[in-house]
Amino acid sequence: MFLNYIKDFSVKRILKNNFQNTRSNEGSGVMKTIGLLVDESYFLDAKAIVTSLVAKGILEHNIEVLLYNDKIKKNKVDNYPVYYASELNWNATLNSKVANEFMDKEFDLLINYYELEKVALVVVSRHSKAKFTVGFSTVDKRLNDLIIKATAEEHLVFINETFKYLKILNKI
């Protein structure tokens, strides 16, 4: 328990130094591929978000979902790939194959669907090759290009606001 606290502190320090190197916003084109990073320990219905995105005109095969969970549940069957907090190293890297594959994909849009800033989620968000990122206002402002003020339970409000502002920015 105490070592996890020290590990989180160490990783946060590495990430804080990494935030000094700001990303360039390459995304000027139309949003076609979407990455969705969901904190499953807080919001359980990732399928509802995917359904909302499909209703907005995004093709389902263009949506890649990655779930994060604090604890490993043995008998739980997931529809989407999951990575866990235990897969985070001291040097801010992940031992998870699915998380590393997710970070290596180039998305037009990455939706960071989590309200609580957990270190393993920030690592994936920060190291993602997404061109444009959207997230909640409760997380670090340097992490997302577009910040939506809503709660995780209001997924329809979040998706509607996201698409409203993407349309204003000529991203869709």
Side-chain angles (χ1 to χ4, degrees):
M1 180 69 174
F2 183 70
L3 286 176
N4 286 336
Y5 177 75
I6 294 173
K7 179 171 79 171
D8 283 352
F9 180 76
S10 171
V11 171
K12 283 180 184 178
R13 190 170 185 184
I14 291 169
L15 288 173
K16 181 182 174 192
N17 292 335
N18 192 2
F19 275 128
Q20 304 302 326
N21 307 330
T22 58
R23 297 184 331 202
S24 64
N25 189 358
E26 308 164 5
S28 61
V30 177
M31 303 289 171
K32 292 181 182 173
T33 58
I34 294 180
L36 178 62
L37 179 62
V38 180
D39 183 2
E40 192 184 34
S41 56
Y42 184 68
F43 185 77
L44 298 173
D45 198 9
K47 184 67 178 166
I49 300 170
V50 172
T51 304
S52 299
L53 290 171
V54 169
K56 289 292 184 180
I58 305 297
L59 299 176
E60 191 166 358
H61 69 272
N62 287 339
I63 302 171
E64 181 87 23
V65 179
L66 180 65
L67 303 176
Y68 165 78
N69 208 324
D70 290 329
K71 297 176 183 171
I72 298 173
K73 297 177 182 173
K74 294 181 181 180
N75 295 331
K76 188 171 186 297
V77 177
D78 292 306
N79 297 332
Y80 303 110
V82 180
Y83 77 104
Y84 301 97
S86 61
E87 296 172 324
L88 181 67
N89 291 334
W90 286 77
N91 56 353
T93 59
L94 288 163
N95 288 333
S96 172
K97 180 182 176 187
V98 293
N100 288 325
E101 288 174 357
F102 186 83
M103 289 186 289
D104 288 338
K105 289 185 181 175
E106 291 188 19
F107 297 111
D108 295 324
L109 175 66
L110 175 65
I111 298 176
N112 294 318
Y113 205 82
Y114 55 90
E115 287 183 306
L116 298 175
E117 193 172 307
K118 297 178 182 175
V119 179
L121 288 164
V122 174
V123 167
V124 172
S125 297
R126 183 64 185 153
H127 295 314
S128 173
K129 293 182 180 174
K131 296 176 184 172
F132 194 81
T133 57
V134 176
F136 288 98
S137 61
T138 55
V139 246
D140 193 341
K141 308 300 186 238
R142 299 172 291 183
L143 193 60
N144 298 308
D145 298 318
L146 177 63
I147 300 168
I148 305 294
K149 187 171 185 177
T151 61
E153 292 85 16
E154 303 171 328
H155 68 276
L156 290 175
V157 172
F158 181 85
I159 297 299
N160 288 335
E161 289 294 310
T162 299
F163 276 83
K164 178 175 113 179
Y165 286 107
L166 289 176
K167 189 171 185 172
I168 291 171
L169 295 170
N170 292 325
K171 301 283 186 182
I172 56 171

